[in-house]
């Protein structure tokens, strides 16, 4: 894997040589790296609070349009016989003059200025998580380490050499039993992992767990489904709590309040998600944010975002942590989204809403035996970040998209029969075998509105930034045709999305926009601005500003800049964080389905990095 440096060589080499000869950590590191104030990017989202914010100022609104590609690094292994695509969603980290990230079959340390390989650790069994790695600064007795997962295993490497840390676990790895496919959280001497438990997965229950960063000993495990005798168990009628899959913490990363040692767990939907007749009740702690003590895993508080979920609309990312200063006092706060499209702003010490949330009546299921919740928690002030309803008057027309697109959508509707959408939390319709039974059109669809990218936060404007897509999903429940423990199964037509393909591009069938980037005032919950993000090049030029689907989030800098890739039109963009005005864009070779990051190099230049499917691209200002 050979990166191609495009500029800055001799002077950079000299600078790095001087730094390395000191035998100490670079003076560029600051003590306050946990709050976006450092020159490095030591955590998946820059800091433990998950803000995606950097205090760097070299790139600003006046010069951002001069950004150029500085170097690129392939994440493939073209020597392998199968030449697997990494399909990377990784955000690199940069600490002490080294950049760390996973490739398709290895973990690498790169020179963050030139892209040259410093070391490479080949992963012989399994594949490293395509989402990233974590850094532990070590102790007086232990050198700094990297942690990463390969499904069932948690690995530790020496951050300076890439060699296996033999004293961690069993020769450098710990058997997780239940797989975790994302980035461990590392704080103090604790490593936290979640769990990925799709139907049929080995390992069973999907509880988050913590391990010692020193020797790999398991420290605690949190029961995401409360066991008998524990508050919340009564929300699972009968013994439906027993051996329940789901309610697992699958996010790409975690966040922690380092002052209070509170770890925040976003917990997923129960399995199976579409039918819950076997589990009457609210089903805690599924679809909840749970705060636990980082050291012990003990429960502190919870906030359930959906009661008795049948839509797979869990909180896909951990909450973003920030403070609200008002009237001479500071309130510790957090913001979290769910795939249902809603944004909740809570007190991070107590879990109480800081912006009003109301239990509102929602449509009820007609599936025999299903008992959906009569109400759901819905923010009273903050509008949804994504579409939560649909009416036939909102179908795309030739004037709003194109004649070809409108005709294709009309044909899709004709082939789909009667469609029902009753607003937010429309349940899946029951098909009793009759061919004219309606089909539910769910908004947001199963892919959600907001997704795993999470919420970004700007401490200057105090805005929260949420990217959300709008693609509806068709579906219904019908009797199972085989003997299973569940009487009903969700089905959908093909294609299952409320969208058609024109010139190879997926185009949703409702009137655009099909995605939005939204800025929300964290103090009031009100929308500050909202813009479509992404263009549909299959449409006429005057109708291309539709917004495009995506799942990742934004990077914010101290110069009123917001960087985001995410969308499937294969672009990275810079916007003014204060008003959403686009200032710069660059076309990527593939989709940038990852969160961007930034750092200051040893040459005192600021760099911007984004992973685009199978390679890392790094931008900088020209000399």
């Amino acid at each position: 894997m050979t990166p191609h440096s495009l500029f800055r060589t001799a002077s950079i080499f000299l600078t790095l040589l001087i730094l390395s000869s000191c035998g100490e950590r670079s003076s560029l590191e600051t003590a306050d790296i946990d709050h976006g104030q450092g020159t490095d990017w030591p955590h998946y989202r820059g800091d433990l609070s998950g803000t995606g914010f950097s205090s760097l100022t070299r790139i600003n609104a006046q010069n951002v349009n001069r950004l150029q590609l500085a170097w690129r690094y392939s994440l493939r292994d073209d020597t392998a016989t199968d030449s697997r695509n990494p399909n990377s969603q990784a955000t690199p980290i940069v600490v002490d003059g080294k950049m760390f990230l996973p490739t398709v079959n290895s973990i690498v340390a790169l020179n963050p200025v030139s892209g040259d390989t410093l070391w490479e650790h080949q992963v012989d069994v399994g594949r490293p998580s395509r989402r990233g790695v974590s850094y532990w600064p070590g102790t007086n007795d232990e050198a700094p380490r990297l942690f990463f997962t390969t499904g069932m295993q948690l690995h530790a490497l020496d951050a300076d050499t890439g060699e296996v840390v033999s004293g961690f676990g069993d020769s450098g790895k710990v058997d997780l039993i239940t797989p975790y496919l994302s980035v461990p959280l590392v704080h103090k001497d604790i490593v936290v992992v979640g769990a990925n438990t799709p139907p049929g997965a080995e390992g069973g229950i999907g509880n988050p767990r913590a391990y010692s960063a020193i020797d790999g000993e398991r420290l605690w495990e949190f029961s995401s489904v409360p066991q008998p005798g524990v508050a919340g168990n009564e929300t699972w009628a009968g013994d439906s709590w027993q051996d329940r899959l789901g309610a697992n913490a699958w996010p790409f990363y975690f966040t922690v309040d380092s002052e209070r040692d509170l770890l925040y767990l976003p917990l997923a939907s129960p399995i199976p998600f579409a039918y819950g007749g076997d589990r009457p009740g609210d089903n805690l702690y599924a679809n909840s944010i749970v705060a636990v003590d980082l050291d012990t895993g003990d429960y502190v508080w919870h906030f359930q975002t959906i009661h008795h979920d049948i839509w797979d609309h869990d909180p896909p990312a951990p909450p973003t942590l920030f403070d609200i200063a008002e009237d001479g006092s500071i309130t510790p706060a957090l913001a979290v989204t769910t795939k249902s499209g809603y944004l909740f702003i809570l007190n991070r010490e107590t879990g109480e809403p800081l912006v009003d949330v109301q239990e509102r009546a929602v449509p009820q299921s007609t599936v025999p035996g299903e008992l959906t919740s009569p109400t759901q928690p819905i923010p009273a002030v903050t509008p949804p970040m994504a579409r939560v309803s649909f009416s036939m008057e909102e179908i795309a027309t030739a004037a709003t998209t194109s004649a070809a697109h409108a005709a294709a959508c009309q044909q899709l509707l004709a082939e789909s029969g009667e469609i029902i959408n009753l607003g937010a939390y429309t349940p899946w319709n029951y098909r009793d075998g009759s061919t004219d039974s309606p089909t539910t059109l769910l908004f947001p669809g199963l892919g959600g509105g907001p997704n795993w990218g999470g919420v970004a936060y700007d401490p200057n404007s105090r805005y929260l930034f949420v990217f959300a897509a709008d693609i509806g999903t068709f579906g219904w429940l019908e009797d199972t045709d085989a003997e299973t423990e569940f009487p009903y199964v969700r089905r959908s037509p093909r294609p299952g999305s409320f969208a058609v393909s024109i010139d190879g591009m997926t185009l949703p069938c409702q009137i655009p926009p099909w995605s939005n980037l939204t800025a929300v005032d964290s103090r009031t919950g009100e929308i500050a601005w909202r813009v479509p993000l992404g263009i549909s090049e299959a449409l006429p030029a005057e109708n291309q500003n539709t917004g495009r689907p995506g799942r990742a989030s934004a990077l914010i800098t101290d110069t009123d800049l917001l960087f985001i890739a995410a969308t499937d039109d294969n672009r990275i963009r810079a916007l003014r964080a204060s008003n959403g005005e686009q200032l710069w864009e660059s076309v990527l070779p593939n989709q940038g389905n990852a969160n961007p990051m930034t750092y200051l190099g040893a040459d005192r230049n600021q760099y911007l990095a984004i992973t685009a499917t199978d390679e890392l691209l790094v931008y900088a200002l020209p000399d």
Side-chain angles (χ1 to χ4, degrees):
M1 299 180 186
T2 304
H4 304 287
S5 177
L6 302 184
F7 52 84
R8 305 186 186 99
T9 53
S11 62
I12 294 169
F13 175 79
L14 179 60
T15 302
L16 291 175
L17 184 62
I18 293 172
L19 286 173
S20 63
S21 67
C22 296
E24 297 177 352
R25 294 192 178 186
S26 166
S27 61
L28 299 179
E29 182 179 353
T30 69
D32 197 19
I33 58 175
D34 287 344
H35 299 88
Q37 300 300 312
T39 59
D40 287 348
W41 190 268
H43 303 281
Y44 177 84
R45 287 294 281 152
D47 54 37
L48 290 169
S49 299
T51 60
F53 174 79
S54 169
S55 62
L56 296 180
T57 58
R58 174 73 187 273
I59 301 171
N60 56 51
Q62 288 69 47
N63 61 26
V64 66
N65 61 357
R66 298 174 55 219
L67 281 175
Q68 297 179 7
L69 187 64
W71 55 269
R72 62 204 305 167
Y73 190 90
S74 173
L75 304 178
R76 288 181 173 272
D77 180 4
D78 294 327
T79 66
T81 55
D82 56 1
S83 189
R84 295 174 293 181
N85 188 330
N87 194 20
S88 182
Q89 298 166 328
T91 298
I93 59 174
V94 171
V95 184
D96 287 347
K98 295 185 182 69
M99 173 184 283
F100 306 103
L101 77 159
T103 75
V104 69
N105 59 4
S106 68
I107 305 297
V108 295
L110 307 178
N111 179 323
V113 173
S114 66
D116 293 332
T117 302
L118 302 177
W119 57 251
E120 180 171 9
H121 173 82
Q122 289 290 327
V123 177
D124 297 325
V125 178
R127 297 180 67 172
S129 168
R130 59 193 172 122
R131 292 158 184 169
V133 300
S134 299
Y135 179 85
W136 179 59
T139 66
N140 291 334
D141 299 320
E142 304 289 345
R145 296 176 182 176
L146 292 183
F147 292 97
F148 68 97
T149 63
T150 54
M152 294 285 193
Q153 294 180 324
L154 171 67
H155 300 255
L157 300 179
D158 186 301
D160 293 325
T161 65
E163 296 177 354
V164 171
V165 179
S166 59
F168 178 82
D170 181 8
S171 301
K173 57 184 180 292
V174 168
D175 185 357
L176 297 177
I177 302 175
T178 303
Y180 180 55
L181 307 179
S182 296
V183 183
L185 176 130
V186 180
H187 181 49
K188 301 197 298 188
D189 297 336
I190 299 173
V191 183
V192 177
V193 298
N196 293 81
T197 55
E202 294 182 42
I205 304 301
N207 296 333
R209 296 140 289 164
Y211 297 86
S212 165
I214 297 174
D215 59 17
E217 177 188 358
R218 192 167 73 173
L219 303 177
W220 55 257
E221 179 174 340
F222 178 78
S223 292
S224 57
V225 175
Q227 302 300 290
V230 177
N233 177 261
E234 72 282 357
T235 65
W236 299 83
D239 61 356
S240 61
W241 57 271
Q242 193 168 4
D243 298 326
R244 176 63 58 176
L245 292 178
N248 55 302
W250 63 265
F252 283 28
Y253 62 106
F254 292 92
T255 53
V256 64
D257 183 329
S258 57
E259 179 183 347
R260 297 168 178 84
D261 279 344
L262 286 179
L263 170 70
Y264 301 94
L265 306 174
L267 298 176
S269 309
I271 295 176
F273 75 87
Y275 172 71
D278 69 312
R279 49 178 170 87
D282 284 351
N283 305 146
L284 290 174
Y285 296 109
N287 301 89
S288 298
I289 298 300
V290 180
V292 301
D293 185 291
L294 174 67
D295 295 303
T296 64
D298 291 342
Y299 167 92
V300 178
W301 61 257
H302 79 273
F303 178 86
Q304 190 173 43
T305 63
I306 301 176
H307 314 312
H308 191 87
D309 183 22
I310 59 171
W311 305 275
D312 195 25
H313 276 172
D314 48 25
T320 297
L321 316 183
F322 58 97
D323 292 330
I324 297 177
E326 200 167 28
D327 299 328
S329 63
I330 295 178
T331 302
L334 63 78
V336 66
T337 55
T338 71
K339 288 192 286 185
S340 63
Y342 294 107
L343 172 70
F344 299 94
I345 300 175
L346 311 176
N347 184 307
R348 70 173 182 266
E349 280 189 315
T350 67
E352 294 296 320
L354 295 175
V355 177
D356 190 27
V357 176
Q358 298 176 354
E359 289 286 338
R360 293 183 178 174
V362 293
Q364 294 299 288
S365 174
T366 59
V367 175
E370 179 64 89
L371 294 173
T372 44
S373 175
T375 64
Q376 293 291 351
I378 295 178
V381 176
T382 310
M385 300 293 100
R387 173 185 286 273
V388 297
S389 64
F390 175 79
S391 67
M392 293 306 296
E393 291 75 24
E394 296 172 294
I395 191 76
T397 64
T400 57
T401 55
S402 72
H405 175 248
C409 288
Q410 290 294 339
Q411 182 179 353
L412 176 65
L413 286 173
E415 294 172 350
S416 300
E418 182 183 356
I419 292 172
I420 57 171
N421 181 281
L422 305 175
Y425 298 109
T426 297
W428 304 107
N429 191 48
Y430 172 59
R431 285 194 174 183
D432 59 4
S434 60
T435 57
D436 56 354
S437 296
T439 296
T440 293
L441 175 56
L442 180 68
F443 271 103
L446 292 181
N451 210 286
W452 49 256
V455 179
Y457 175 71
D458 178 13
N460 296 313
S461 65
R462 291 185 270 189
Y463 289 169
L464 302 162
F465 302 94
V466 179
F467 175 65
D470 285 320
I471 299 182
T473 297
F474 290 124
W476 63 85
L477 288 189
E478 63 181 40
D479 299 325
T480 56
D481 54 6
E483 290 189 11
T484 68
E485 58 181 312
F486 304 109
Y488 307 106
V489 63
R490 194 191 75 87
R491 302 291 189 197
S492 63
R494 292 188 179 182
S497 297
F498 187 49
V500 296
S501 179
I502 303 290
D503 294 336
M505 177 169 278
T506 298
L507 304 177
C509 280
Q510 74 275 11
I511 294 172
W514 298 326
S515 77
N516 281 300
L517 178 63
T518 303
V520 176
D521 190 319
S522 63
R523 296 158 293 183
T524 65
E526 297 174 340
I527 291 180
W529 55 259
R530 173 175 279 176
V531 296
L533 191 71
I535 61 173
S536 297
E537 295 171 287
L539 299 178
E542 65 273 16
N543 290 337
Q544 288 186 0
N545 189 30
T546 59
R548 293 298 307 166
R551 298 181 177 183
S553 187
L555 158 71
I556 314 298
T557 72
D558 212 10
T559 52
D560 193 30
L561 289 180
L562 179 153
F563 293 93
I564 188 168
T567 52
D568 68 358
D569 62 349
N570 298 357
R571 286 165 169 79
I572 183 169
R573 295 174 168 89
L575 288 72
R576 289 190 190 274
S578 54
N579 62 19
E581 174 192 3
Q582 182 169 315
L583 302 174
W584 170 80
E585 73 173 34
S586 179
V587 177
L588 302 171
N590 287 293
Q591 183 177 358
N593 191 26
N595 293 340
M597 55 83 76
T598 189
Y599 57 93
L600 194 70
D603 59 350
R604 309 304 297 175
N605 283 299
Q606 183 181 351
Y607 292 82
L608 169 71
I610 182 67
T611 298
T613 304
D614 62 357
E615 65 178 326
L616 176 71
L617 296 107
V618 179
Y619 297 82
L621 296 171
D623 287 332

